[in-house]
């Protein structure tokens, strides 16, 4: 199979629609990781035990690291980090609304359920770009996958513990009922034409519908094995805001304000560096 | 959402340096075969240590390659650029900017090099197996035990 391969140097030759499709795919990866990381760090010094505090902080750090890998690739299109994150219009973020929802107060299970649903989707979508026609993207996938494995292990360990008795299971069930419809937004299209272009150019090798199918094949039997009832996917009411199309919940503006507060307060025009560039 | 993100001072788009395709079997690379200016860049970069441990980034196996190229700048003046391909132990590495700045500064300090650029690469992914024998020794001396590449304790 002689699929075309694109390097960084080929970006200038991609036509407008193809370049936009690739950018959209990268924004989706980057924005999801960044925003989920922001929600995770709200647990710092509040998680149930010291070990879980360190673990969730470490997972957040990984997610920020992954976000950075994808934003790096977006910089190759000519945007710098302030433009891609700090000074960006919050309405142009493409993350799924699953990752922006506030954590239900004090509910560790809520974070664990969200993490599990996200991490499974993440695994599948990384597999779908592991053979991407865009070489700089696929060359970063292996490193991310090896780190994501620990995230799933973490979420599953906790899910098994939390569902071990009835009060715990009831709380996990409540979190699942709340979050499952939002998890399906991970597979919502930005728009049909862009999705078609992403597949046509081989930037991603599976369709969103395929990914959704694979996702359900993994999460439904696993969650059921823990004694949980998984909402019937096709009967789930779709949230009003899915994120991918630029529609967000009211919680996103507040989170974006928080996230960029220091940057604005200090009147920054660039992000902090430990050292000046050597040139 | 394309043009609304552009800024006048944004970095130059479409960089044309494409890292070489490397196999795990070719790593770690310590520049043993390098000659001339590239040899000197390897030696300069060797002096950069991990911020937390007294071990060279070369012995950690983080430097995948060095390439010195004759180029022309925006005004068509000739210049010599050292490209250093480098990876990180993990993606969230908080010392990233510090390490890449140190490596860039070291490479740029070499006689015959006008500027240096670190190109971060993540394939093949770094594992502890890429630490050289010298690196293992330095880490052991520092008090860390490093499993040998076959998976047995050293």
């Amino acid at each position: 199979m002689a699929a075309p391969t694109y390097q960084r140097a080929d970006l200038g030759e991609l036509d407008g629609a193809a370049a936009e499709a690739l950018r959209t795919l990268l924004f989706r990866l980057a924005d999801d990781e960044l925003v989920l990381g922001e929600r995770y760090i709200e647990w710092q010094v509040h998680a149930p035990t010291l070990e879980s505090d360190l673990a969730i902080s470490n997972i957040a750090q990984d997610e920020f690291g992954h976000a950075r890998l994808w934003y790096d690739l977006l910089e190759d299109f000519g945007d710098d980090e302030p433009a891609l994150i700090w000074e960006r219009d919050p309405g142009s973020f493409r993350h799924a609304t699953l990752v922006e929802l506030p954590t239900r107060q004090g509910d560790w299970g809520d974070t664990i359920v969200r993490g599990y649903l996200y991490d499974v989707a993440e695994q599948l979508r990384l597999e779908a770009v592991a053979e991407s026609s865009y070489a700089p993207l696929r060359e970063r996938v292996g490193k991310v996958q090896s780190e994501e494995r620990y995230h799933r292990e973490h979420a599953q360990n906790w899910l098994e513990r939390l569902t071990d008795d009835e009060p715990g299971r009831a709380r996990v069930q409540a979190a699942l009922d709340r979050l499952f419809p939002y998890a399906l937004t991970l597979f919502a299209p930005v728009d049909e034409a862009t999705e078609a272009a992403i597949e046509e150019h081989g930037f991603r090798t599976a369709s969103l519908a395929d990914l959704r199918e694979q996702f359900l094949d993994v999460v439904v039997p696993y969650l059921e094995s823990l004694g949980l009832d998984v909402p019937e996917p096709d009967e789930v009411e779709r949230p009003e805001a899915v994120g991918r199309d630029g529609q967000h919940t009211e919680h996103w503006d507040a989170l974006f304000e928080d996230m960029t507060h220091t940057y604005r307060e200090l009147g920054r025009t660039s992000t902090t560096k430990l050292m000046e560039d050597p040139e | 959402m394309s043009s609304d993100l552009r800024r006048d001072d944004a970095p130059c788009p479409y960089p044309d340096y494409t890292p070489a395709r490397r196999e795990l079997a070719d790593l770690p690379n310590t520049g043993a075969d390098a000659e001339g200016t590239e040899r000197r860049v390897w030696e300069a970069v060797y002096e950069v240590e991990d911020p937390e441990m007294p071990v060279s980034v070369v012995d950690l196996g983080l430097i995948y390659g060095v390439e010195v190229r004759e180029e022309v700048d925006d005004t068509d003046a000739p210049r010599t650029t050292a490209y250093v391909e480098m990876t990180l132990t993990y993606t969230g590495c908080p010392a990233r900017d510090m390490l890449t700045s140190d490596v860039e500064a070291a490479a740029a300090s070499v006689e015959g090099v006008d500027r240096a650029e670190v190109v971060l690469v993540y394939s093949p992914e770094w594992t502890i197996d890429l630490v050289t024998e010298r690196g293992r020794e330095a880490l052991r001396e520092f008090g860390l035990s490093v499993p040998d590449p076959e998976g047995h304790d050293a």
Side-chain angles (χ1 to χ4, degrees):
Chain A
M1 207 169 65
T5 283
Y6 306 99
Q7 299 288 347
R8 275 191 182 79
D10 304 325
L11 286 180
E13 288 155 34
L14 287 180
D15 69 48
E20 203 45 40
L22 179 54
R23 269 164 55 88
T24 302
L25 177 70
L26 291 168
F27 268 121
R28 194 157 29 190
L29 290 166
D31 294 347
D32 275 347
E33 299 278 68
L34 174 68
V35 177
L36 184 62
E38 283 294 312
R39 284 297 182 207
Y40 279 145
I41 57 171
E42 293 173 343
W43 278 106
Q44 265 183 318
V45 309
H46 296 293
T49 64
L50 179 59
E51 289 76 9
S52 51
D53 199 320
L54 292 172
I56 203 80
S57 303
N58 209 272
I59 290 173
Q61 195 178 355
D62 284 350
E63 303 299 21
F64 290 141
H66 303 163
R68 194 157 197 183
L69 292 188
W70 311 133
Y71 286 122
D72 275 354
L73 295 183
L74 282 159
E75 287 190 359
D76 293 335
F77 290 84
D79 301 308
D80 60 6
E81 189 178 308
L84 291 169
I85 302 175
W86 311 107
E87 296 172 21
R88 189 164 149 206
D89 169 10
S92 73
F93 275 75
R94 295 295 179 187
H95 59 269
T97 42
L98 175 74
V99 297
E100 77 192 25
L101 291 183
T103 306
R104 207 158 40 178
Q105 195 170 9
D107 194 346
W108 180 245
D110 195 73
T111 287
I112 295 300
V113 170
R114 170 157 48 187
Y116 171 72
L117 294 170
Y118 179 79
D119 291 336
V120 172
E122 178 70 355
Q123 173 190 20
L124 297 168
R125 113 172 128 179
L126 287 171
E127 283 169 12
V129 292
E131 302 295 328
S132 173
S133 59
Y134 190 49
L137 166 57
R138 70 169 181 244
E139 282 161 8
R140 293 174 173 223
V141 169
K143 187 76 180 168
V144 176
Q145 279 175 321
S146 66
E147 294 176 351
E148 288 287 345
R149 237 186 323 272
Y150 294 108
H151 300 185
R152 287 195 304 281
E153 221 173 278
H154 173 262
Q156 292 189 8
N157 280 340
W158 268 107
L159 277 178
E160 281 156 31
R161 254 185 291 175
L162 292 170
T163 54
D164 202 32
D165 66 8
E166 205 33 62
R169 186 164 32 237
R171 291 179 73 158
V172 172
Q173 182 68 55
L176 183 61
D177 291 340
R178 176 175 104 101
L179 295 171
F180 192 74
Y182 288 93
L184 297 178
T185 67
L186 287 163
F187 309 100
V190 164
D191 62 62
E192 297 300 339
T194 306
E195 300 306 335
I198 287 171
E199 289 172 45
E200 181 197 331
H201 293 281
F203 298 138
R204 187 185 59 217
T205 56
S207 71
L208 289 173
D210 290 344
L211 288 174
R212 185 179 184 274
E213 232 13 75
Q214 293 169 17
F215 172 78
L216 294 172
D217 286 346
V218 175
V219 301
V220 174
Y222 175 72
L223 293 169
E224 285 179 347
S225 77
L226 300 175
L228 297 161
D229 290 323
V230 184
E232 183 53 50
D234 295 327
E235 289 166 19
V236 160
E237 198 177 332
R238 183 187 161 114
E240 219 167 281
V242 298
R244 296 290 192 228
D245 57 358
Q247 300 289 310
H248 290 279
T249 66
E250 73 272 23
H251 308 293
W252 168 233
D253 279 341
L255 182 60
F256 183 78
E257 279 289 302
D258 269 3
M259 185 174 89
T260 55
H261 178 83
T262 311
Y263 180 87
R264 281 178 287 106
E265 188 174 68
L266 297 180
R268 292 242 173 89
T269 54
S270 64
T271 42
T272 182
K273 294 256 191 311
L274 288 171
M275 280 180 70
E276 292 301 319
D277 289 337
E279 297 183 79
Chain B
M1 59 178 196
S2 49
S3 56
D4 55 324
L5 284 163
R6 295 271 189 276
R7 284 161 46 119
D8 290 342
D9 57 349
C12 173
Y14 318 137
D16 61 359
Y17 180 83
T18 301
R21 213 168 171 64
R22 292 180 198 282
E23 303 297 330
L24 200 52
D26 303 330
L27 298 173
N29 189 354
T30 56
D33 302 331
E35 291 168 5
T37 312
E38 286 179 359
R39 159 101 254 138
R40 292 199 296 279
V41 171
W42 274 102
E43 285 165 6
V45 170
Y46 190 87
E47 299 304 315
V48 178
E49 292 189 340
D50 182 277
E52 291 176 331
M53 299 170 291
V55 54
S56 163
V57 292
V58 174
D59 281 332
L60 280 177
L62 296 180
I63 308 297
Y64 283 8
V66 168
E67 192 182 326
V68 172
R69 282 195 194 173
E70 304 303 326
E71 302 175 334
V72 289
D73 67 14
D74 297 344
T75 64
D76 275 346
R79 69 175 182 197
T80 305
T81 301
Y83 291 96
V84 182
E85 283 175 44
M86 174 177 171
T87 195
L88 297 171
T89 54
Y90 75 112
T91 60
C93 179
R96 168 178 142 146
D97 287 350
M98 195 176 185
L99 274 169
T100 54
S101 301
D102 283 356
V103 168
E104 240 164 52
S109 74
V110 169
E111 202 191 317
V113 171
D114 299 314
R115 59 186 288 278
E117 211 174 287
V118 166
V119 181
L120 282 175
V121 293
Y122 294 91
S123 179
E125 64 175 288
W126 183 90
T127 69
I128 195 93
D129 292 350
L130 296 185
V131 179
T132 66
E133 197 40 56
R134 271 174 88 174
R136 281 160 205 278
E137 234 160 77
L139 289 173
R140 275 196 291 269
E141 211 164 295
F142 182 61
L144 290 174
S145 98
V146 188
D148 71 24
E150 285 78 45
H152 310 293
D153 279 334

